[in-house]
């Protein structure tokens, strides 16, 4: 059962849901889509709104509208069609990633509190070594992706909670897969870069015992990541 759509950015929502229908039902190039009445009833939208969205997809080269015959997935791929398909897939995957960021934000604030309150000096020393290498790479113009991973992983290890660590590792696997197939594949090097200075600031606050500031900086870290995700569509498909 397809869900009704909200009015906000309606044509984009329609496009996303049509793509989801295509994926869920295993449709391939040349296949015929259900009639517009089917989608309008399922989404609870007007035919005018649906037709507007389908004209955009047709303009991208994703579908072909044949008067009197219906709508079909284009038999041959086009560059614009590939771009539109990627855009819609990114939108669908983005929802899941935003939910994972919400979960990570809560878990990492908890980890900060545990590390500081338990006075885990060894963990702080490990974080200091990671951040030193992190800063060295940044100063040389490199992207410290591995150090970023180690920083967050060390927080979970320092929390002394095996379930949290397992959750992080599972989430990180999914995030890395998404990054490789979406962010890296289209060469978006700006994603998450504004969070880089925050890692040193978070550590300094932890070393001084200022849990409140460290947690506030961590919230800011995830706010930046969310904002970058929302800007990703504009960056890739403006």
């Amino acid at each position: 059962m397809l869900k009704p759509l909200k009015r906000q950015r309606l044509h984009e929502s329609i496009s996303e849901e049509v793509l989801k229908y295509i994926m869920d039902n295993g449709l391939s190039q040349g296949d015929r889509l259900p009639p517009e009445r089917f989608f309008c009833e399922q989404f609870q939208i007007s035919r005018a709104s649906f037709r507007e969205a389908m004209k955009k997809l047709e303009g991208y080269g994703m579908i072909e509208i044949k008067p009197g015959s219906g709508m079909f997935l284009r038999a041959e791929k086009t560059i614009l069609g590939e771009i539109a398909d990627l855009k819609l897939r990114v939108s669908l995957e983005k929802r899941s990633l935003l939910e994972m960021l919400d979960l990570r934000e809560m878990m990492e604030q908890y980890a900060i509190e545990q590390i500081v309150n338990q006075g885990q000096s060894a963990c702080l020393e490990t974080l200091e070594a990671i951040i030193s290498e992190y800063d060295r790479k940044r100063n040389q113009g490199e992207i410290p992706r591995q150090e970023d991973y180690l920083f967050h992983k060390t927080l979970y290890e320092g929390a002394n909670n095996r379930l949290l660590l397992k959750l992080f590792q599972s989430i990180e696997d999914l995030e890395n897969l998404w990054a490789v197939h979406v962010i890296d594949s289209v060469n978006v090097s700006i994603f998450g870069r504004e969070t880089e200075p925050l890692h040193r600031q978070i550590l300094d606050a932890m070393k001084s015992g200022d849990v409140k500031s460290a947690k506030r900086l961590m919230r800011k870290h995830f706010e930046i990541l969310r904002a970058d995700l929302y800007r990703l569509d504009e960056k890739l498909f403006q």
Side-chain angles (χ1 to χ4, degrees), residues 72-85:
F72 299 82
L73 291 180
R74 286 189 67 93
E76 70 281 358
K77 290 187 178 181
T78 66
I79 293 176
L80 285 176
E82 289 293 300
I83 292 174
D85 182 67

Side-chain angles (χ1 to χ4, degrees), residues 164-176:
L164 281 188
L165 182 58
K166 267 187 168 302
L167 282 172
F168 167 70
Q169 290 170 336
S170 298
I171 291 171
E172 189 67 14
D173 288 342
L174 293 173
E175 289 180 353
N176 287 337

Side-chain angles (χ1 to χ4, degrees), residues 82-99:
E82 289 293 300
I83 292 174
D85 182 67
L86 176 59
K87 177 179 180 180
L88 294 173
R89 289 175 186 274
V90 166
S91 296
L92 292 172
E93 294 293 335
K94 189 172 64 179
R95 297 175 189 174
S96 297
L97 192 57
L98 285 167
E99 292 171 355

Side-chain angles (χ1 to χ4, degrees), residues 24-208:
D24 290 346
N25 289 274
L27 300 184
S28 57
Q29 292 170 304
D31 286 347
R32 181 177 179 176
L33 276 67
E36 65 178 34
R37 183 175 63 182
F38 167 81
F39 289 110
C40 291
E41 290 176 353
Q42 294 292 326
F43 299 154
Q44 297 181 18
I45 56 174
S46 68
R47 293 197 174 192
S49 296
F50 182 78
R51 288 171 182 171
E52 179 186 357
M54 294 305 98
K55 284 180 180 178
K56 289 184 180 295
L57 292 185
E58 186 178 35
Y60 282 133
M62 288 189 68
I63 67 170
E64 183 178 4
I65 300 175
K66 299 179 180 180
S69 298
M71 300 175 295
F72 299 82
L73 291 180
R74 286 189 67 93
E76 70 281 358
K77 290 187 178 181
T78 66
I79 293 176
L80 285 176
E82 289 293 300
I83 292 174
D85 182 67
L86 176 59
K87 177 179 180 180
L88 294 173
R89 289 175 186 274
V90 166
S91 296
L92 292 172
E93 294 293 335
K94 189 172 64 179
R95 297 175 189 174
S96 297
L97 192 57
L98 285 167
E99 292 171 355
M100 288 188 283
L101 289 178
D102 289 342
L103 180 59
R104 277 190 56 190
E105 180 181 345
M106 291 186 291
M107 294 194 302
E108 292 185 27
Q109 288 186 79
Y110 171 81
I112 286 171
E113 189 171 343
Q114 291 297 104
I115 292 168
V116 175
N117 290 344
Q118 293 174 13
Q120 295 194 37
S121 57
C123 180
L124 294 176
E125 290 174 4
T126 299
L127 288 169
E128 178 62 47
I130 292 169
I131 291 300
S132 294
E133 179 63 13
Y134 191 108
D135 290 341
R136 185 191 69 79
K137 285 190 174 182
R138 285 187 64 221
N139 293 334
Q140 292 183 348
E142 301 177 37
I143 300 177
R145 180 170 292 175
Q146 177 65 13
E147 287 68 31
D148 181 271
Y149 166 75
L150 291 173
F151 177 84
H152 293 280
K153 179 173 179 283
T154 301
L155 289 179
Y156 288 91
E157 292 173 339
N160 287 324
N161 187 308
R162 288 179 295 178
L163 178 58
L164 281 188
L165 182 58
K166 267 187 168 302
L167 282 172
F168 167 70
Q169 290 170 336
S170 298
I171 291 171
E172 189 67 14
D173 288 342
L174 293 173
E175 289 180 353
N176 287 337
L177 183 64
W178 194 87
V180 168
H181 287 286
V182 177
I183 297 175
D184 288 353
S185 65
V186 289
N187 195 27
V188 181
S189 60
I190 63 168
F191 185 81
R193 297 302 300 273
E194 291 183 15
T195 68
E196 291 177 2
L198 293 177
H199 294 78
R200 166 60 67 184
Q201 297 172 33
I202 291 169
L203 176 58
D204 288 346
M206 293 175 66
K207 290 167 69 175
S208 66

